[in-house]
Amino acid sequence: MPEPLLAARDLHAWYGESHILHGVAFEVFPGEVVTLLGRNGAGKTTTLKSIMGIVRRRTGSVRFGPRELVGLASNVIARLGIAFCPEERGIFASLTVEENLLLPPRVQPGGLTTTAIFELFPNLRERLRSPGTKLSGGEQQMLAIGRILRTGARLLLLDEPTEGLAPVIVQQIGRTIARLKAEGFTILLVEQNFHFAATVADRHYVVEHGRVVDLIANAQLAASMDKLHEYLGV
């Protein structure tokens, strides 16, 4: 077995006095797409933010290759080659699509060129001079993903990339994730829509009350639907 690219062990995290993560543990191997599934409030987004160092009070271990991330600042973690696409997308209203796209610095060689990003998301080329807030929700999501692809990061943390999007845009996001996987990116994906997750992921970790409570291989997803419905309350 190869060594995991990302490994969390006994990860705890707090917002102020609120203890959110209670010993999260999982692994992501190079070239995988892995999802964190769970209800709202289960701790999925906090897990991504803890990996990135956005949640400052955390204990346990998060290893990215040989490097321990717990204790590092978020800007240092980003420069190691990890990129975070938040659920709220973080588009700057006062900047154009082009300015938003070019804003993050390159942290590693091998980032996608703007031409390659426009091949993934042709809408962005057409809206290049538009202010970020004039974009549709789907176009904002394309911009948020495209922006991190420029940086050269090879591990992508995507938080609810399909939330609130039309089915045709969800399909485009799915095709994009499949293409990124084929090009060697590793992706950790927080997703509520397990039907979408099934189309893109290799494995699924189920998060409940700040803990990983199950691991389901994608090949076993169909046989695990009753269990998933119980976990997710759908």
Side-chain angles (χ1 to χ4, degrees):
M1 286 287 291
E3 290 293 313
L5 181 65
L6 181 73
R9 297 282 184 272
D10 194 30
L11 177 62
H12 293 251
W14 291 259
Y15 291 125
E17 295 302 312
S18 298
H19 192 176
I20 307 300
L21 301 185
H22 299 267
V24 165
F26 62 87
E27 296 177 332
V28 183
F29 291 91
E32 277 195 310
V33 177
V34 171
T35 60
L36 301 179
L37 297 174
R39 303 185 192 202
N40 285 332
K44 307 183 302 297
T45 294
T46 301
T47 299
L48 297 190
K49 290 182 175 180
S50 297
I51 293 166
M52 284 302 302
I54 298 169
V55 177
R56 294 188 178 181
R57 187 182 173 195
R58 60 205 196 281
T59 63
S61 174
V62 179
R63 297 193 71 84
F64 178 54
R67 292 293 302 270
E68 176 59 58
L69 303 184
V70 171
L72 297 182
S74 56
N75 64 311
V76 176
I77 293 170
R79 284 173 171 78
L80 295 177
I82 306 176
F84 176 48
C85 184
E87 180 182 2
E88 62 274 13
R89 296 163 189 155
I91 304 303
F92 288 89
S94 61
L95 302 182
T96 66
V97 167
E98 182 177 31
E99 289 167 337
N100 269 283
L101 195 61
L102 298 178
L103 185 63
R106 293 186 183 275
V107 298
Q108 303 268 330
L112 268 61
T113 64
T114 52
T115 300
I117 293 168
F118 294 149
E119 288 175 3
L120 285 174
F121 303 122
N123 298 45
L124 296 184
R125 189 198 305 271
E126 299 166 8
R127 304 299 301 275
L128 206 56
R129 303 286 183 259
S130 299
T133 51
K134 296 295 185 182
L135 305 183
S136 69
E139 289 169 336
Q140 288 191 13
Q141 187 63 69
M142 294 172 195
L143 178 56
I145 295 174
R147 186 171 56 186
I148 64 174
L149 295 177
R150 280 193 62 258
T151 65
R154 303 306 290 178
L155 173 61
L156 310 180
L157 310 180
L158 307 183
D159 192 2
E160 299 277 13
T162 68
E163 185 180 29
L165 301 184
V168 65
I169 304 299
V170 172
Q171 291 173 2
Q172 185 174 2
I173 298 294
R175 289 193 298 270
T176 300
I177 291 173
R179 179 168 171 183
L180 294 174
K181 174 180 166 62
E183 293 183 9
F185 286 89
T186 304
I187 299 173
L188 180 60
L189 172 72
V190 161
E191 189 53 69
Q192 289 266 84
N193 182 350
F194 64 84
H195 296 292
F196 169 78
T199 67
V200 297
D202 299 293
R203 297 183 296 122
H204 312 272
Y205 287 97
V206 181
V207 182
E208 271 192 351
H209 307 299
R211 295 179 175 87
V212 171
V213 296
D214 209 344
L215 169 61
I216 303 172
N218 203 51
Q220 301 301 317
L221 202 58
S224 305
M225 281 301 172
D226 289 345
K227 186 164 57 172
L228 269 175
H229 281 92
E230 185 175 337
Y231 282 138
L232 303 178
V234 294

